[in-house]
Amino acid sequence: MKLVRLRAPGGLDRLDLVEEDPPQPGPGDVLVRIRACSLNMRDDFAVRGKTPLADRRVPLSDGAGDVIAVGSNVDALKPGDSVVSVFYPWWLDGEMTPATRRDIPGESFDGFASEYVCMPAQAFTKAPAGYTHVQAAALTCTGLTAWRGVVVCGKVKPGDTVLVLGTGSVSLFALQFAKAAGARVIATSSDEEKLERLSRLGADAVINYKAVPDWSRKVRELTDGRGVDHVIEVGGPATLAQSLAACRTGGHIALIGVLTGFAADVSIPAIFSNQIRISGISIGSRADQEDMIRAIEVNRIEPVIDRRFPLREIAAAFTHYAAGKHFGKVCLEV
Amino acid sequence: MKLVRLRAPGGLDRLDLVEEDPPQPGPGDVLVRIRACSLNMRDDFAVRGKTPLADRRVPLSDGAGDVIAVGSNVDALKPGDSVVSVFYPWWLDGEMTPATRRDIPGESFDGFASEYVCMPAQAFTKAPAGYTHVQAAALTCTGLTAWRGVVVCGKVKPGDTVLVLGTGSVSLFALQFAKAAGARVIATSSDEEKLERLSRLGADAVINYKAVPDWSRKVRELTDGRGVDHVIEVGGPATLAQSLAACRTGGHIALIGVLTGFAADVSIPAIFSNQIRISGISIGSRADQEDMIRAIEVNRIEPVIDRRFPLREIAAAFTHYAAGKHFGKVCLEV
Amino acid sequence: MKLVRLRAPGGLDRLDLVEEDPPQPGPGDVLVRIRACSLNMRDDFAVRGKTPLADRRVPLSDGAGDVIAVGSNVDALKPGDSVVSVFYPWWLDGEMTPATRRDIPGESFDGFASEYVCMPAQAFTKAPAGYTHVQAAALTCTGLTAWRGVVVCGKVKPGDTVLVLGTGSVSLFALQFAKAAGARVIATSSDEEKLERLSRLGADAVINYKAVPDWSRKVRELTDGRGVDHVIEVGGPATLAQSLAACRTGGHIALIGVLTGFAADVSIPAIFSNQIRISGISIGSRADQEDMIRAIEVNRIEPVIDRRFPLREIAAAFTHYAAGKHFGKVCLEV
Amino acid sequence: MKLVRLRAPGGLDRLDLVEEDPPQPGPGDVLVRIRACSLNMRDDFAVRGKTPLADRRVPLSDGAGDVIAVGSNVDALKPGDSVVSVFYPWWLDGEMTPATRRDIPGESFDGFASEYVCMPAQAFTKAPAGYTHVQAAALTCTGLTAWRGVVVCGKVKPGDTVLVLGTGSVSLFALQFAKAAGARVIATSSDEEKLERLSRLGADAVINYKAVPDWSRKVRELTDGRGVDHVIEVGGPATLAQSLAACRTGGHIALIGVLTGFAADVSIPAIFSNQIRISGISIGSRADQEDMIRAIEVNRIEPVIDRRFPLREIAAAFTHYAAGKHFGKVCLEV
């Protein structure tokens, strides 16, 4: 089988396409023919060596494909099932703990840039019925993060207003999930063409934050002065202050990303005097993923796919990803 | 102004259309020109004397119209606002208490079968933008009951499956709110034409419970054996046992109605061994109504109106209501 | 090693004390020297053949002891740890599912009436620090059921009033957990001596339900007419109607038991007109057990132990249990 | 009657003790003979002119006393009732809104530095049974803030570990409420004598943050590396980073205060990678206050009173308050 291994200390020129024997499933394992992967910022950090990995790690946390064989004691999956990987294979349900967050594919153990992988069955769930493998591979990291921000932590309900920032994949999924939940969505971008695509994806109102630098004021106008019920905050330092200003009394901020840096200057009174609730979010559990997939099936949500690359062009895929012009997931076909 | 007063001890022949001077708003009051009312089972009980009322009570708990004048200290509403009545005018937010549940229009004080009413401003909220008065008047009692069953207590999320029973107004609203929340809906009726209408209203699957007397088994089939996440249970004794059987492990039953009687024989182990959660529901708070109205506006939900009668034909309206052939709300135009 | 096997079809005369070789831990397993077990109603049903079991099943779901050895891949436990068994070894966290509720020790696989058992590590948690094995063995089934009724589902907070019924072990634990949570507790019994013991255990008020057959009225008196916030309902048909009557508007009933039969005649309006919330409860998850144990350690809660029998007198222990005179857990020393 | 009025633009030398006629209760009002007030940081800001107030405002948001007379339509209170003021008289229940947060006694309308006040009945709740007026007056602002941080937003349960910072009144109340809820409490101070008093008040462990500047590390040691479940964060910029470091995966921070400034530099990844939940807290609703008072009565919690001054020495009281040496509430007797 073909697979990609990353030579330490990382770098796009150290992604080696190699040939190895396929693994065999032991008790509790499934053998999966991976057909697609998708790229995330943390994969980008990993392959470029910003996150130190063991030598010859197989990269990528998000993969989808077909079950080929199962080991003993596997009830939940069977050969022929179309499956998608789980980000935290040991976080089955309930709250994350230090024990269940430990292992991440593509980081602490080999990931999905490989034609075949063999893992414990709980490292996969069924893919949404009717999804292509590329669509399924889009879900693991950014899809589930958006799901948790909108549904699990946000508990968005019909009639709520949700603000999504920019056109990263978390924001696109959040827009789709919020619409599925009956919410009104306000979306931002600095690019008129992307704003147009956000509207077509369901955004009820859009704001060009380059044209309207104090976009939080515009958000309040669009909500009759009330502010939004939820912000899916992926911007970090560059946006958090305005996200707080855009929030209604008692509003909720799903705090996710680090697109603009790591340390933010936060106004404490802006949080407590408006009774703001903030949820720090890092992906979700296997049970969360199963819930998300049910929602995707019922609401026929299709992830936005920007572009597909063959596995051997993984370096080109990351170059495209890092250019930041994409709208939707950058994927590999395996 | 014209209004209807019910002579004790009640009966359709004791609904008197009378002429009186319009009231004047005191401090904190609004004067509303009522334009529409809707009928509910509890109004039916009231006008027929099954619920004892004070002599010459003005009936009906659900009314909508235009604000004509406001007294001093009224900020939230102004002349010209299109408004809809609140079932429990003192239950503003949070949990119901004995103090806040005490007063109900059409029961403990005069209701909305009147061209003009004068009440504290908190007895109304704004109607959904663009709604007719008849549509708005449909919301107060059955709309808000369904909202609380689906959203407030049920916390239905995208991908959940919701079972609604029959074609009463609570069930129709529950179907609409559940679809708005991204759920899959299974609906039942004994009438093929009504099943067809339920499908057109958005039901993903329908069951004729006359043709399929053990409909809970059919519900399990339709959910791959898993059972539904929520039942909006309006049937009472005739349906509760099957509703429990149709529920998944950990499922939720919104317990609302008494369509078939008051005392039900319940299997205790069916509740605890499956970790079932039951919410007894009696309408909702003023804040719940405001949330529901936001959801209606965002999702452009239109209540199903069966038929309109002029105020003077109130007795005919109740006769039509009691015949039980309606699909949607029976309304009065005032 | 010595252990007890139950010959089909069950009966106290079919509990055989036998001698077998101790098992060896495989990957992921722990070998535990069981030192104590406790008896529950479901064990009583099982050993008397009311619940059909496989021939030669080792009975008992609740056991505690010392870890002797661990297999490969076991991080969470080590030799020397004092441990207590988990009722649903596959229900780790979050909600129960059909998959995670399947296996129960002493029913679907061999239980704890044995000097040594070998099970996956997740079938145990650490015992509370400083607990005897007998105290630890008291927790699994009735302790965790009470914990879920009071804390997980009830979310009892300081100042709430909790009603516990009778002196079964679930009620005693519920009393202790409710007091630890800062609640006021009202307890009932038909026996003055037991009422005295309930008071000593922390009950703020007690009611002799034989002397006061309409005890729900007394409960309302004791709460200035308001009713209690929570009922830990273990009585079933004989008590449910009064439990509903004793509950405040918006109150919560943790529905647990079948002490008096299986089918109850329930007033539907009593549930919905008072916005009652009912939680069906069947034990809890492994994570719930870890939370409970933290609570026990911080609050130094000691389970009430009625009497200890040696393992070989298991039949006598069940005879004592079935006589129903006990106050606290009936235990075996192994 | 005697009362204090603050001449604009504020300052301790502009607190005038004046004599006026007592007010008379109108419909819905209660007339209360105020017997005690307590001082809060926001009162300190107000009387020193840092918060601009209308000229001749009567200061102080926290008051307690006896009902002398009631107007028409007042059911909930009667002459002779011992009462305590509500911080947001229009925030009755549920979530705070811009409408319900608007009016604050001592800021937007006259407060409690007065022998008699006349206000809508909902501006008071009953005081805890058996409390002195000084004890009751201690509750309104800091007591309810702590209650919401620990119970309403924190949902602290038995066995949780709660970290409280310093010896401000919010922290002392939080310690007491957390202990009532069955939690383990870790408390900090820079003063050994205050640490001793924190221990006597129930703290299970104390840390001198002057002696141990990286106190978050000590907190983790005290929790076997797990971190605390909750931080009652009153410190702001000076403490927030360590509070985050002291929190367990999935932990909760009740964000309250501005003791050390307004803008904090926050590590975004510290929040999201550990799934931290933050609740901004600004006092609470009238229903929250009633719940808190029930908890106080059941658990016999006594607020810590530092020192009492007569009303005429209000300026001296604020001087003492601002010196920051107090442990517990600084109160006025009226």
Side-chain angles (χ1 to χ4, degrees), chain A residues 17-305:
Chain A
L17 187 70
V18 298
E19 182 84 34
E20 297 183 4
D21 288 339
Q24 294 301 321
D29 287 343
V30 292
L31 176 67
V32 177
R33 174 62 176 89
I34 296 298
R35 290 293 180 182
C37 295
S38 77
L39 272 49
N40 299 295
M41 179 173 299
R42 57 189 314 146
D43 300 311
D44 193 69
F45 275 50
V47 297
R48 290 172 196 276
K50 294 180 193 168
T51 307
L53 299 182
D55 187 41
R56 293 177 48 76
R57 175 65 72 230
V58 179
L60 302 189
S61 65
D62 297 15
D66 297 307
V67 175
I68 299 297
V70 303
S72 55
N73 300 323
V74 173
D75 295 333
L77 297 174
K78 60 183 189 310
D81 282 345
S82 180
V83 295
V84 52
S85 70
V86 167
F87 190 82
Y88 293 115
W90 301 104
W91 183 11
L92 300 182
D93 201 350
E95 279 194 75
M96 187 170 85
T97 67
T100 59
R101 75 186 290 185
R102 208 178 34 188
D103 279 332
I104 298 172
E107 296 197 3
S108 63
F109 68 105
D110 283 345
F112 297 98
S114 176
E115 288 181 342
Y116 292 86
V117 303
C118 189
M119 291 187 188
Q122 68 193 40
F124 294 91
T125 67
K126 285 188 188 169
Y131 253 41
T132 65
H133 292 307
V134 163
Q135 288 175 315
L139 297 175
T140 301
C141 183
T142 52
L144 192 54
T145 297
W147 174 259
R148 270 189 98 232
V150 172
V151 176
V152 182
C153 299
K155 301 188 199 327
V156 169
K157 63 180 188 301
D160 281 1
T161 300
V162 178
L163 172 64
V164 300
L165 304 178
T167 56
S169 286
V170 171
S171 298
L172 299 185
F173 274 116
L175 187 166
Q176 293 176 296
F177 292 140
K179 288 309 297 175
R184 181 186 180 213
V185 173
I186 302 174
T188 70
S189 175
S190 61
D191 178 317
E192 285 297 322
E193 193 195 317
K194 286 183 173 178
L195 289 169
E196 172 62 30
R197 297 184 73 175
L198 288 166
S199 295
R200 265 182 279 139
L201 210 54
D204 299 275
V206 295
I207 302 171
N208 186 324
Y209 65 79
K210 202 178 275 175
V212 187
D214 57 342
W215 45 269
S216 59
R217 186 187 309 245
K218 181 70 182 168
V219 171
R220 294 200 83 90
E221 275 175 44
L222 288 168
T223 52
D224 296 325
R226 186 174 180 262
V228 297
D229 300 283
H230 304 268
V231 184
I232 309 302
E233 165 55 66
V234 298
T239 53
L240 186 51
Q242 289 212 56
S243 290
L244 279 166
C247 235
R248 74 160 166 87
T249 302
H252 172 244
I253 293 179
L255 192 64
I256 292 167
V258 290
L259 294 182
T260 63
F262 294 97
D265 209 44
V266 173
S267 162
I268 307 276
I271 297 173
F272 73 75
S273 79
N274 289 312
Q275 318 256 21
I276 302 298
R277 184 166 67 89
I278 298 175
S279 306
I281 290 174
S282 173
I283 332 277
S285 71
R286 190 175 186 281
D288 291 332
Q289 182 160 310
E290 291 183 315
D291 284 346
M292 173 183 70
I293 286 172
R294 265 190 284 272
I296 283 171
E297 292 178 335
V298 170
N299 294 281
R300 300 200 176 85
I301 295 168
E302 302 204 349
V304 182
I305 306 299

Side-chain angles (χ1 to χ4, degrees), chain B residues 75-95:
Chain B
D75 296 334
L77 297 174
K78 60 181 190 309
D81 282 346
S82 180
V83 294
V84 54
S85 69
V86 166
F87 190 83
Y88 293 114
W90 301 103
W91 183 11
L92 301 180
D93 201 350
E95 279 193 76

Side-chain angles (χ1 to χ4, degrees), chain C residues 119-151:
Chain C
M119 293 188 186
Q122 68 194 39
F124 295 90
T125 67
K126 285 189 189 167
Y131 253 43
T132 65
H133 293 306
V134 163
Q135 288 176 315
L139 297 175
T140 300
C141 183
T142 52
L144 193 54
T145 297
W147 174 259
R148 272 190 97 232
V150 171
V151 176

Side-chain angles (χ1 to χ4, degrees), chain B residues 88 91 95-98 101 148 153 226 236-237 240 248-251 255-258 261-269 271-284, chain C residues 88 91 95-98 101 148 153 226 236-237 240 248-251 255-258 261-269 271-284:
Chain B
Y88 293 114
W91 183 11
E95 279 193 76
M96 188 170 85
T97 67
R101 73 186 291 184
R148 271 189 98 233
C153 298
R226 186 174 180 261
L240 187 51
R248 74 159 164 88
T249 303
L255 192 63
I256 292 166
V258 291
F262 292 96
D265 209 46
V266 173
S267 162
I268 307 277
I271 297 173
F272 73 75
S273 78
N274 289 313
Q275 318 256 19
I276 301 298
R277 184 167 66 90
I278 298 176
S279 305
I281 290 174
S282 173
I283 332 280
Chain C
Y88 293 115
W91 182 12
E95 279 194 75
M96 188 170 86
T97 67
R101 73 185 290 184
R148 272 190 97 232
C153 298
R226 185 174 181 261
L240 187 50
R248 73 159 166 90
T249 303
L255 192 63
I256 292 167
V258 290
F262 292 97
D265 209 45
V266 173
S267 162
I268 307 276
I271 296 173
F272 74 74
S273 78
N274 289 313
Q275 317 256 23
I276 301 297
R277 184 166 65 90
I278 299 176
S279 306
I281 290 173
S282 174
I283 330 280

Side-chain angles (χ1 to χ4, degrees), chain D residues 271-300:
Chain D
I271 296 173
F272 74 74
S273 78
N274 289 312
Q275 318 257 21
I276 301 297
R277 185 167 65 90
I278 298 177
S279 306
I281 290 174
S282 174
I283 329 283
S285 71
R286 190 176 187 281
D288 290 333
Q289 182 161 311
E290 291 183 315
D291 283 347
M292 172 183 71
I293 286 172
R294 265 191 282 274
I296 284 171
E297 291 178 336
V298 169
N299 294 282
R300 300 201 175 84

Side-chain angles (χ1 to χ4, degrees), chain D residues 241-259:
Chain D
Q242 288 213 56
S243 290
L244 280 166
C247 236
R248 72 159 166 90
T249 302
H252 172 246
I253 293 180
L255 192 63
I256 292 166
V258 290
L259 293 183

